[in-house]
Amino acid sequence: MRIRFSPHHLAKPPLPPPPLLSLKRLARIVASAAPAWAARPAPRVIDVGSGTGALLPHLRAAGVADVLAVDVSAAMLEAGAGRGGAPSAAAAPVLGNTPAVRPWVGDIESVPAYQGPVDAVFFNSVFGNVHDQRGALDAAAGLARPGGRVVLSHPLGRAWHGRLRGADPVAVPHALPDAAALTALIAGLPLAVVGLVDEADWYAAVLEVPRGYALPAPLLLEGAVTAGFGRGSRQLGTPTANLPPADVVGAWGEAGPPLGVYFGWARLLDPPPGSAPADAAPHPAVLNVGRRPTFEGGQGGDLTVEVHVLHPYGSDFYGRRLRVAVGGFLRPERRFQGVAALVARIAADIGTAKAALAGPEHAGLRALVGESGEA
Ligand code: RBF
Ligand code: MG
């Protein structure tokens, strides 16, 4: 995906000046994502098409501490630097634990996973310029945490945007999506529409990444570990213990498990003789219940239940019994463009799982797998 600004656009006679940008509307655009960061101490967002930084003062006023200001135009970001936009590239921290506004030259698909997960991604006054809108939404959804929001907005609305597009359909290849177009655009992506205002002079589509959730009651899975594909450890760096689906999916009841990524505690009940004591202890775990659509030509394969235990076991333990107490659901399974994107996502899943397991909601979960040496 490239957001293209064609050079001839600049040579054309300019449109009449835009009506005074309503500052109130920019504040409303920011507010439409605010539920995503309510009660979070240091909200983090990505501002796509940040340009000279029109949205930044409103983000700051709403308490957003950390902004990645993304734009394909280094010149625009640089021009904004003196006017309260993102600081010039040389002055801004690129990474780090200190919340800041940082410029990023490129499109949303060029933003690496380590810049996330964020609470919200804004496409303000830019979505019509994005050539591959679905690719951009996919990238945005991947960078947002569960419950995070993606906001597509235009403070001057459909009528003004239509004039822009009429004046230069190369620079602005798409109309703002109406309800039907929006539904089509996000089909199959982990996004749901939570709000759409589509008036002649005001447009805001608010999308949400599915929230993780605690299961109504923990699920207990137990089975003898079978060999998987070896891909987990060799290619992905996340070795998985596969459990026979037939032995465990019954825990979800008749409808079966929603395919996706879960978290919980796991314990190997009968580690091989001579194992380190830690190999017999309970450890946090993430598990994927699904068909791995990233592989096998996008089709995925048979249903598998793969548990990645967050512990470096000393040896393989095929045939040994693994017990897992599943506390919650992190995200639906999905197809990634490649192994690198999947690996980055699993790293984010692990972070989310650790945070969830450390919270009070899952305090009793560990006890459900029992302690070392118990049956
Ligand atoms: N495979 C996918 O195709 N899509 C996924 O979303 C996905 N998520 C996973 C999350 C976790 C935490 C783990 C451990 C695995 C996931 N996998 C996913 C499965 C992965 O493709 C599989 O472990 C390897 O292919 C080895 O069989
Ligand atoms: Mg495996």
Side-chain angles (χ1 to χ4, degrees), residues 134 330 353:
R134 190 176 161 84
L330 287 177

Side-chain angles (χ1 to χ4, degrees), residues 218-221 263-269 277-285 309-311 323-328 356-375:
L219 301 176
L220 261 195
L221 316 180
F263 63 88
W265 285 86
R267 181 169 71 93
L268 196 57
L269 305 186
D279 288 359
H283 297 286
V309 186
L310 303 179
H311 171 69
R323 183 181 293 164
V324 185
V326 184
L357 288 170
E361 209 179 351
H362 299 289
L365 197 61
R366 175 190 161 132
L368 296 181
V369 295
E371 278 306 324
S372 304
E374 290 174 15

Side-chain angles (χ1 to χ4, degrees), residues 226-230 232 239-242 306:
T226 60
F229 305 91
T240 54
N242 296 32
E306 299 184 277

